[in-house]
Amino acid sequence: MINIIINSDGRYPVNKLIIQSTVVEVLKRYKITGRLEIGVNIVGSRKIHEINKKYRGMDYPTDIITFALEDALPQNLQHIPRVGFVSSPDQVLRLGDIVLSYPQVVEDAGLDGVSVDEEIRQLVEHGTKHLLGMHHD
């Protein structure tokens, strides 16, 4: 069972089926199975700016932020043994949350020459990979 919780303000006309199918596709590609939960939140520019400032020390909006419940260790600390994901009492593995800025997604789609749905698909794929511990090179 994969539970994808999508929260979106009614002002942002997102296609929830694209979000769900993208998350499922990424999990299948990497053979991730079991009882899983991922949150996807669609917010505005002010909200993502506020989140960036509070949690990342970045005083500007971005298109995406991910909050993994298990994150990769920095290179200099990778010798430390890892405990891994903590088991919840209900046996659901909660991977974390993806936060997308809808206004930034619309702007990026225009700059990239793709539809808003395609931009969302690319960002959700990118965010899901981050939740799985895959980061930029």
Side-chain angles (χ1 to χ4, degrees):
M1 171 203 82
I2 300 170
N3 189 21
I4 303 159
I5 302 168
I6 302 171
N7 294 305
S8 177
D9 186 306
R11 295 176 290 171
Y12 308 126
V14 296
N15 184 330
K16 293 181 178 185
L17 291 177
I18 287 175
I19 293 171
Q20 292 171 333
S21 64
T22 301
V23 170
V24 169
E25 175 188 306
V26 172
L27 294 173
K28 283 184 180 177
R29 185 180 321 140
Y30 293 101
K31 297 175 178 49
I32 309 295
T33 60
R35 297 180 64 188
L36 306 168
E37 185 173 283
I38 290 179
V40 180
N41 301 280
I42 313 299
V43 301
S45 294
R46 277 193 306 240
K47 185 64 175 177
I48 207 153
H49 185 156
E50 176 186 309
I51 293 168
N52 263 320
K53 190 171 183 180
K54 182 175 181 176
Y55 294 103
R56 301 177 69 214
M58 301 165 69
D59 196 12
Y60 53 87
T62 55
D63 53 3
I64 185 172
I65 303 171
T66 57
F67 292 98
L69 292 182
E70 171 78 2
D71 210 358
L73 288 171
Q75 277 300 103
N76 63 335
L77 298 178
Q78 289 189 355
H79 64 283
I80 298 173
R82 308 268 322 245
V83 173
F85 285 98
V86 176
S87 294
S88 63
D90 60 4
Q91 301 302 304
V92 174
L93 177 59
R94 290 174 175 85
L95 295 175
D97 290 292
I98 299 169
V99 182
L100 297 176
S101 167
Y102 190 80
Q104 190 64 50
V105 166
V106 170
E107 183 178 324
D108 291 352
L111 293 171
D112 295 342
V114 299
S115 69
V116 171
D117 285 346
E118 177 58 20
E119 190 73 26
I120 287 173
R121 191 200 64 71
Q122 290 174 13
L123 288 170
V124 169
E125 178 175 347
H126 179 83
T128 303
K129 287 178 178 180
H130 271 271
L131 295 180
L132 295 174
M134 298 171 206
H135 298 285
H136 306 269
D137 293 330

